[in-house]
């Protein structure tokens, strides 16, 4: 019972912080091209960074509370999709935070790095929006995003075999370790 | 003697091990059953009492053979247990065996819960419940009898008794079907449910029908809409009903026509079921973590690929401090090579804060602008 209430609260926090992360990161990226935003660049960068950290804290809490809010958390495709998109949202948010930590606020001055960071934040925000849309479908039966003609069908899901998931997990882990080592050796 | 004591002890133990209980207070589910479940526990007078409920049955007194007929059962003044569950039987007799309407030639096209059972369980609201069966009338002409029986618990039920209610025989006169009268084919039953999101057409088989019209509505709606009907074979029709989601029920009414006859049949309904899904909790967790790591690995690789060599880790400034100490000590001695190096770097307006090294073909942070600041 408390899991449902807690889930409602923490989902609101995750959505809010995710939106702040995405919008501030986009504006910080835009500040390199629009002179009116240049004075706010540092503030936008810091706001986006702080929001991304809050998003990274609240997303797993939302997953955990969501897991205990339903009787069969993986019993249907729509609930299974929530796991998948939570993973995607966490992946992009974590990428954004690590990028920001490694390269500092200077990254916004390098166009390629700034593009990657902006895309990480926006993809993270998109995944959070999809999560919200799925949640709305479950509780209300409809979502504001239904107005889009190209919105995916969340009643189906791609279920990957557990061994393939495990292989993907190991590949991902290896690529993360290698990326860290390359960055470390180049720095 | 010893063995007798042993056997008696065993029998006594087994007798004491039996627990007292009530017969299925949570219901048994919809199924095909005889009167009082074939004279089982609810049939025992010591375990049951008459119900105070009033049962009204509405069925046309005269029907054509081989056509559809609706039996509407309204039960009021119910005193149920706290779950409000009522078991309702539609019977052809009250013998305790072979009481199913099919034993008397009737065929159940749809029961109140969307299936084709003669016993269903319903939850009462405000001490009353109304349900209806859609039947295919027998071929035999003459009179047939229909009975309705109910069983339920009670809120104040200290003796754990079942409460039984039943009607007298309701006589239905079956007349011969007019020649070429359009109706449903024998053996056709309405689908119980469709998978969520499934919009594939349902097939209806008829007899003596030259045109078929189908209206649909969502459960609870009053206005109905005409569905698209295609004739796929002789007396076989495909009806396109919109897909439903969640626990929505869609109702439809068939009107079969032939010359001057137009047979408007009772409303039937189809429920919605969740599609079969073979995902597991462990699989979902593994896939989620795999996605996190794959995305992280990909984005970090991109960062590494596009990061210029002059951009260093912002957290660990040890090397910067060490280099500044060393550079101060050797400033004079190494000033010449340094000045050569810095003089060859080219400023770029497109990349403020960065200098282009044409020898190494790389971007270097401008030290005058403290590592890339403008």
């Amino acid at each position: 019972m408390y899991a449902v209430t807690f889930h409602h609260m923490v989902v609101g926090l995750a959505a809010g912080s995710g939106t702040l992360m995405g919008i501030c990161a986009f504006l910080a990226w835009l500040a390199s091209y629009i002179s009116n935003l240049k004075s706010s660049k540092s503030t936008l960068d810091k706001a986006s960074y702080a929001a991304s950290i809050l998003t990274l804290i609240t997303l797993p809490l939302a997953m955990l509370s969501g897991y205990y809010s339903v009787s069969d958390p993986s019993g249907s495709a729509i609930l299974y999709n929530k796991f998948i998109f939570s993973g995607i949202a966490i992946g992009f948010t974590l990428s954004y935070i690590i990028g920001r930590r490694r390269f500092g606020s200077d990254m916004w001055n390098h166009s390629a790095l700034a593009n990657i960071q902006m895309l990480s934040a926006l993809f993270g925000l998109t995944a959070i929006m999809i999560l919200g849309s799925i949640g709305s479908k479950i509780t209300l039966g409809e979502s504001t995003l239904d107005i889009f003609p190209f919105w995916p069908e969340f009643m189906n899901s791609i279920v990957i075999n557990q061994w393939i998931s495990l292989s993907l997990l190991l590949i991902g882990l290896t690529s993360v370790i290698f990326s860290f080592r390359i960055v470390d050796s180049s720095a | 003697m010893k063995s007798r004591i042993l056997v008696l002890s065993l029998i006594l133990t087994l007798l004491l091990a039996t627990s007292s209980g009530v017969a299925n207070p949570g219901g048994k589910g919809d199924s095909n059953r005889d009167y009082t479940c074939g004279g089982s526990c609810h049939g025992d007078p010591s375990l049951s009492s008459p119900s105070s409920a009033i049962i009204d049955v509405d069925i046309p007194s005269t029907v054509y053979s081989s056509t559809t007929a609706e039996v509407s059962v309204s039960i009021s003044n119910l005193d149920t247990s706290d779950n409000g569950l009522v078991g309702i039987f539609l019977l052809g007799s009250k013998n305790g065996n072979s009481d199913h309407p099919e034993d008397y030639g009737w065929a159940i096209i749809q029961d109140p819960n969307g299936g084709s059972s003669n016993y269903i369980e319903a939850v009462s609201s405000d001490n009353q419940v109304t349900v209806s069966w859609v039947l295919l009338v027998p071929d035999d002409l003459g009179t047939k009898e229909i009975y309705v029986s109910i069983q339920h618990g009670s809120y104040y039920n200290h003796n754990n008794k079942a409460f039984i209610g039943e009607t007298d025989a309701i006589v239905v006169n079956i007349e011969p079907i007019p020649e070429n009268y359009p109706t449903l084919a024998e053996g056709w039953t309405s689908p119980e449910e469709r998978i969520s999101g499934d919009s594939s057409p349902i097939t209806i088989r008829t007899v003596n029908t030259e045109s078929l019209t189908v209206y649909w509505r969502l459960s609870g709606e009053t206005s109905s809409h005409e569905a698209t009907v295609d004739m796929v074979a002789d007396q076989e029709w495909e009806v396109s009903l919109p897909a439903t989601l969640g626990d929505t029920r869609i109702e439809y009414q068939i009107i079969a026509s032939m010359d001057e006859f137009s047979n408007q049949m009772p409303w039937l309904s189809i429920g919605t079921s969740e599609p079969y899904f073979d995902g597991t909790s462990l699989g979902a967790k593994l896939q989620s973590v795999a996605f996190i790591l794959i995305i992280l690995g990909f984005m970090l690789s991109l960062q590494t690929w596009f990061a210029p060599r002059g951009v260093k880790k912002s957290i660990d400034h040890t090397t910067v401090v060490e280099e500044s100490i060393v550079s101060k000590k050797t400033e004079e001695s190494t000033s010449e090579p340094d000045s050569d190096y810095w003089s060859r770097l080219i400023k770029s307006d497109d990349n403020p804060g960065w200098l282009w090294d044409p020898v190494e073909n790389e971007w270097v942070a401008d030290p005058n602008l403290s590592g890339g600041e403008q």
Side-chain angles (χ1 to χ4, degrees):
Chain A
M1 188 179 89
Y2 293 109
V4 178
T5 317
F6 184 68
H7 185 64
H8 286 169
M9 185 195 75
V10 86
V11 158
L13 285 172
S17 56
T19 308
L20 193 67
M21 169 187 75
I23 290 173
C24 287
F26 180 72
L27 290 175
W29 170 80
L30 211 60
S32 301
Y33 304 98
I34 296 173
S35 56
N36 288 350
L37 285 171
K38 275 184 182 166
S39 57
S40 311
K41 194 174 187 177
S42 173
T43 311
L44 288 167
D45 166 64
K46 283 171 187 163
S48 176
Y49 189 27
S52 65
I53 292 167
L54 183 60
T55 308
L56 192 67
I57 294 166
T58 50
L59 271 176
L61 288 175
M63 277 180 85
L64 202 68
S65 56
Y67 185 84
Y68 289 107
S69 298
V70 290
S71 55
D72 188 6
S74 56
S76 68
I78 200 162
L79 292 171
Y80 200 91
N81 279 330
K82 287 207 96 178
F83 273 99
I84 293 175
F85 280 99
S86 296
I88 293 169
I90 291 173
F92 280 116
T93 307
L94 200 55
S95 306
Y96 180 81
I97 292 170
I98 290 171
R100 176 60 180 74
R101 261 182 81 88
R102 293 205 144 243
F103 301 109
S105 59
D106 294 342
M107 69 185 182
W108 294 112
N109 298 322
H110 190 274
S111 62
L113 274 181
N115 289 343
I116 293 168
Q117 285 298 93
M118 183 269 291
L119 287 175
S120 291
L122 283 188
F123 284 153
L125 173 58
T126 308
I128 290 167
M129 282 169 69
I130 293 170
L131 280 170
S133 178
I134 296 172
S136 176
K137 279 272 185 194
I138 294 168
T139 52
L140 304 173
E142 58 185 0
S143 157
T144 314
L145 297 178
D146 286 339
I147 55 170
F148 291 119
F150 49 83
W151 207 241
E153 178 57 68
F154 294 118
M155 294 300 165
N156 298 315
S157 184
I158 302 164
V159 179
I160 301 175
N161 180 282
Q162 287 179 16
W163 291 109
I164 298 173
S165 287
L166 199 64
S167 310
L168 284 174
L169 194 147
L170 291 173
I171 292 167
L173 196 65
T174 312
S175 64
V176 169
I177 291 166
F178 269 95
S179 299
F180 272 122
R181 290 181 74 90
I182 292 165
V183 172
D184 284 339
S185 61
S186 65
Chain B
M1 186 66 186
K2 250 186 172 182
S3 61
R4 282 182 185 176
I5 293 171
L6 196 69
V7 169
L8 278 172
S9 305
L10 187 67
I11 291 168
L12 195 66
T13 308
L14 287 171
L15 284 172
L16 288 173
T18 56
S19 58
S20 61
V22 289
N24 305 302
K28 283 275 283 182
D30 299 357
S31 59
N32 291 314
R33 293 177 186 279
D34 292 318
Y35 174 59
T36 62
C37 304
S40 62
C41 24
H42 287 182
D44 187 336
S46 64
L47 296 171
S48 62
S49 284
S51 169
S52 60
I54 300 161
I55 307 167
D56 289 319
V57 182
D58 184 21
I59 183 173
S61 56
T62 303
V63 290
Y64 290 135
S65 66
S66 303
T67 59
T68 53
E70 186 173 14
V71 184
S72 180
V73 180
S74 298
I75 305 159
S76 56
N77 199 33
L78 267 168
D79 173 27
T80 61
S81 52
D82 51 0
N83 60 17
L85 210 59
V86 192
I88 307 167
F89 297 82
L90 185 74
L91 305 163
S93 63
K94 292 196 287 188
N95 300 329
N97 62 75
S98 301
D99 295 327
H100 197 289
E102 285 180 2
D103 295 321
Y104 296 86
W106 302 90
I108 296 173
I109 292 175
Q110 190 160 73
D111 69 34
N113 291 336
S116 55
S117 305
N118 78 316
Y119 171 79
I120 63 107
E121 283 167 356
V123 177
S124 64
S125 172
D126 294 333
N127 300 324
Q128 54 190 0
V129 63
T130 302
V131 295
S132 61
W133 274 264
V134 177
L135 305 177
L136 193 66
V137 178
D139 292 334
D140 316 338
L141 305 179
T143 55
K144 293 272 181 189
E145 291 176 343
I146 284 284
Y147 299 84
V148 172
S149 170
I150 62 166
Q151 57 183 26
H152 60 89
S154 175
Y155 193 77
Y156 298 103
N157 188 9
H158 303 298
N159 299 322
N160 293 324
K161 284 191 171 181
F163 292 84
I164 308 289
E166 58 198 42
T167 63
D168 293 331
I170 299 140
V171 180
V172 181
N173 185 31
I174 301 169
E175 292 190 348
I177 186 169
E179 198 176 339
N180 293 334
Y181 191 81
T183 187
L184 294 172
E186 196 177 340
W188 181 85
T189 53
S190 175
E192 192 169 342
E193 56 190 16
R194 290 186 303 170
I195 290 169
S196 179
D198 179 18
S199 59
S200 54
I202 61 164
T203 305
I204 296 173
R205 285 184 288 110
T206 57
V207 288
N208 299 329
T209 304
E210 67 179 6
S211 73
L212 196 80
T213 309
V214 176
Y215 291 99
W216 67 268
R217 68 185 181 194
L218 292 177
S219 188
E221 279 187 346
T222 49
S223 60
S224 55
H225 318 269
E226 190 171 344
T228 310
V229 181
D230 294 314
M231 188 175 178
V232 289
D234 184 34
Q235 300 299 320
E236 195 168 312
W237 315 78
E238 277 191 350
V239 181
S240 299
L241 296 174
T244 49
L245 297 173
D247 55 356
T248 314
R249 288 192 80 83
I250 193 166
E251 296 176 348
Y252 65 103
Q253 185 179 43
I254 304 165
I255 302 170
S257 304
M258 179 71 164
D259 298 332
E260 75 273 25
F261 296 116
S262 179
N263 181 7
Q264 185 172 320
M265 296 173 215
W267 283 90
L268 301 165
S269 72
I270 307 176
T272 312
S273 65
E274 284 294 315
Y276 172 73
F277 186 69
D278 58 353
T280 61
S281 181
L282 177 67
K285 287 172 195 163
L286 268 176
Q287 205 168 324
S288 181
V289 176
F291 273 43
I292 293 173
L293 290 172
I294 286 284
I295 289 168
L296 192 61
F298 179 68
M299 295 310 288
L300 286 185
S301 305
L302 282 180
Q303 287 171 5
T304 310
W305 181 264
F306 286 107
R309 289 184 66 190
V311 182
K312 296 179 180 179
K313 286 198 294 180
S314 63
I315 302 304
D316 185 6
H317 288 114
T318 313
T319 51
V320 178
V321 174
E322 282 173 356
E323 280 170 9
S324 66
I325 293 166
V326 172
S327 64
K328 274 181 185 174
K329 284 179 182 175
T330 58
E331 197 175 36
E332 287 178 6
S333 58
T334 58
S335 59
E336 262 184 41
D338 269 353
S339 62
D340 286 342
Y341 172 73
W342 290 110
S343 63
R344 78 182 189 215
L345 302 181
I346 304 160
K347 279 194 175 182
S348 167
D349 289 337
D350 292 334
N351 296 303
W354 299 94
L355 300 170
W356 176 252
D357 184 351
V359 178
E360 294 291 331
N361 280 333
E362 64 178 10
W363 289 97
V364 178
D366 188 347
N368 295 329
L369 292 174
S370 60
E373 273 184 23
Q374 290 181 52

